Amino acid sequence: MQNQANPIEIMANELARLPGIGKKSAQRLAYYIVSMPKEDVKRLADSIWEGRSNIKLCEICGNYSSENLCEICSDERRNKNIICVVKEPRDLTAVERVHDYRGLYHVLHGVLSPMDNIGPNDLNIRSLLMRLADGDVQEVIVATNPDIEGEATASYLARLIKPMGIKVTRIAYGVPIGSDLEYADEVTLAKALEGRQEI
């Protein structure tokens, strides 16, 4: 008779597929879920299923939304002359936490990565160019990560957008607040010097 797979092991294997969850954490979570009352487990599973089923992409910027337009694109108080381009919706959320930026966003859903066969047609670039064609936008801030793919994507976007007469800026990178200069690498210090501002 063939042994059936252990349900806790199956649960742990699925949980381990989530980012940031290692094998041990997944196993701990699986045992915790098994110890929960069944109605709590059902509520958790239902909320995950409902959340995933009801989320779609904003028709304008590509952010996650439960409506056709996300809260930011439908907010008339936002500055429509500036668009911040980010890699993923979670990056948009990070910028929003600062509370200083009041413009609009555009989510690429990735970055250029020839090694992974991700080219311009695989990203949400065409709709960005369509948004810029109406002439309202005066500045595009490219806020992709300061890695090879993020820098390549920023350069590519700048080459496309600058001929449209739109200012293209890159967020400054530098030394994190509270850290020591002696521990900063050369690239971080170089970016900090490049992004310096008058005081």
Side-chain angles (χ1 to χ4, degrees):
M1 185 172 159
Q2 193 175 0
N3 286 341
Q4 282 191 318
N6 180 339
I8 294 176
E9 195 176 309
I10 293 170
M11 245 194 301
N13 287 338
E14 290 301 313
L15 290 166
R17 294 172 56 192
L18 296 170
I21 305 290
K23 259 189 152 177
K24 286 185 179 180
S25 294
Q27 194 171 45
R28 263 195 311 275
L29 286 169
Y31 275 105
Y32 181 79
I33 290 169
V34 168
S35 72
M36 291 169 60
K38 285 184 179 179
E39 55 274 10
D40 290 353
V41 175
K42 182 171 181 354
R43 192 168 50 250
L44 173 64
D46 288 347
S47 70
I48 292 170
W49 176 254
E50 288 297 318
R52 178 60 189 93
S53 299
N54 293 325
I55 293 295
K56 49 188 156 193
L57 298 181
C58 173
E59 292 176 355
I60 295 176
C61 73
N63 188 19
Y64 292 141
S65 177
S66 58
E67 305 295 330
N68 291 335
L69 297 183
C70 71
E71 290 179 10
I72 294 169
C73 286
S74 57
D75 186 349
E76 289 298 320
R77 297 167 298 176
R78 302 297 291 220
N79 181 351
K80 306 216 182 315
N81 301 126
I82 187 166
I83 292 178
C84 181
V85 177
V86 294
K87 176 184 174 184
E88 301 287 351
R90 63 179 169 257
D91 300 326
L92 181 156
T93 303
V95 176
E96 278 296 286
R97 278 198 304 264
V98 178
H99 299 296
D100 284 344
Y101 178 73
R102 297 298 302 155
L104 299 175
Y105 292 92
H106 195 83
V107 183
L108 296 175
H109 292 282
V111 286
L112 296 175
S113 180
M115 297 286 285
D116 299 316
N117 292 318
I118 299 173
N121 292 334
D122 300 309
L123 304 178
N124 191 21
I125 294 175
R126 187 175 293 119
S127 63
L128 171 62
L129 297 176
M130 289 169 55
R131 289 177 73 184
L132 300 178
D134 68 13
D136 290 339
V137 177
Q138 297 168 3
E139 180 181 1
V140 172
I141 302 169
V142 183
T144 52
N145 291 333
D147 53 22
I148 293 169
E149 292 85 4
E151 293 295 333
T153 304
S155 296
Y156 179 79
L157 291 174
R159 284 195 308 273
L160 290 177
I161 297 167
K162 279 185 179 179
M164 302 171 84
I166 298 169
K167 180 180 179 182
V168 181
T169 58
R170 185 89 168 100
I171 58 170
Y173 298 107
V175 182
I177 292 174
S179 66
D180 294 322
L181 286 181
E182 66 181 296
Y183 299 118
D185 61 88
E186 295 83 11
V187 175
T188 300
L189 282 173
K191 290 292 183 186
L193 288 169
E194 281 176 29
R196 67 190 185 277
Q197 294 181 346
E198 187 174 345
I199 55 172

